[in-house]
Amino acid sequence: MAGLRGKGSFRRTVFLAAVLLMFGTVMSAPLQAAEVKGYLLVGVTVDIGLKEMLAAKTGELSEKELEGISVLVTKRYHERGYTTSYADRLVLRKDGIVEVHVLESKIAGIKISGVEETEAAVMRKLLVPEERELYNRDLIRLRAEVARKNHRLKSLRITPVNYKDSADVFLSVEAKKKSRGQLYGGLGVEPIYGFTPQLGYFYPFEKTGVDVYGEAGYREGKW
């Protein structure tokens, strides 16, 4: 019957759709060279200059140029630090307007390990002060450096992971505390006493520290 596809054709169509989904560029209809009169941004909540950028992409565009719009939009998000947000699909309407559908990646949650819960709660508010805010790698890194200094941490490692089947991310944070006190020492050489054992203890504070150091020497029967 006319209008029905064979099983082989149907399977090829499903395979093609899966490939396009994998690359994050799904078109509601096949794109072809067309006269583009403007763009409609769908799902965009942050101003990163997309309207100004796309304004220069109007007029007669080839199929390749149209397909490259999603790449440009995704690249702009990543350049601004929104490294997990991306253009999901394009829709070319009959009136010449291209709908750009964007999936902005929000922070769905955060878990901090390596510190007590009371301290972790303070750090969570510093790292993610607003619920469901957009994930921005650069902003999170700046906040992480402040948290590391404020809490006197040796390191603070933040890993964004996919959250369920959405574009959102979950932040896994691993904190490592500095040692409150450190012993150090060794065997030195003095021009008068020769080999001298050395021992010290360093205790850090927020802006300073206490360093107690001593060494022993033996010469001519005397220490």
Side-chain angles (χ1 to χ4, degrees), residues 146-164:
V146 174
R148 188 187 66 79
K149 292 180 179 179
N150 289 353
H151 294 267
R152 297 186 294 275
L153 300 174
K154 181 178 181 180
S155 65
L156 188 63
R157 181 179 180 182
I158 302 178
T159 305
V161 296
N162 292 336
Y163 183 73
K164 297 182 178 180

Side-chain angles (χ1 to χ4, degrees), residues 167-180:
D168 297 338
V169 296
F170 186 91
L171 299 185
S172 176
V173 182
E174 181 183 359
K176 290 186 178 181
K177 301 285 288 186
K178 288 182 179 179
S179 300
R180 295 303 300 169

Side-chain angles (χ1 to χ4, degrees), residues 8-50:
S9 176
F10 176 77
R11 288 171 180 164
R12 286 193 295 271
T13 302
V14 172
F15 174 75
L16 179 59
V19 172
L20 290 174
L21 275 170
M22 181 173 63
F23 284 96
T25 312
V26 178
M27 314 303 173
S28 64
L31 290 183
Q32 55 187 358
E35 178 74 21
V36 176
K37 298 180 180 179
Y39 296 86
L40 176 63
L41 299 174
V42 181
V44 176
T45 63
V46 60
D47 184 8
I48 55 175
L50 291 177

Side-chain angles (χ1 to χ4, degrees), residues 57-77:
K57 298 294 181 180
T58 56
E60 188 70 27
L61 298 184
S62 67
E63 179 181 348
K64 185 176 181 180
E65 288 174 322
L66 282 171
E67 291 176 347
I69 295 300
S70 61
V71 177
L72 291 175
V73 171
T74 299
K75 182 180 178 182
R76 176 58 65 92
Y77 267 95

Side-chain angles (χ1 to χ4, degrees), residues 24 35 51 73 75 120 130 175 196 220:
E35 178 74 21
K51 292 182 179 179
V73 171
K75 182 180 178 182
E130 298 181 11
T196 58
E220 296 179 355

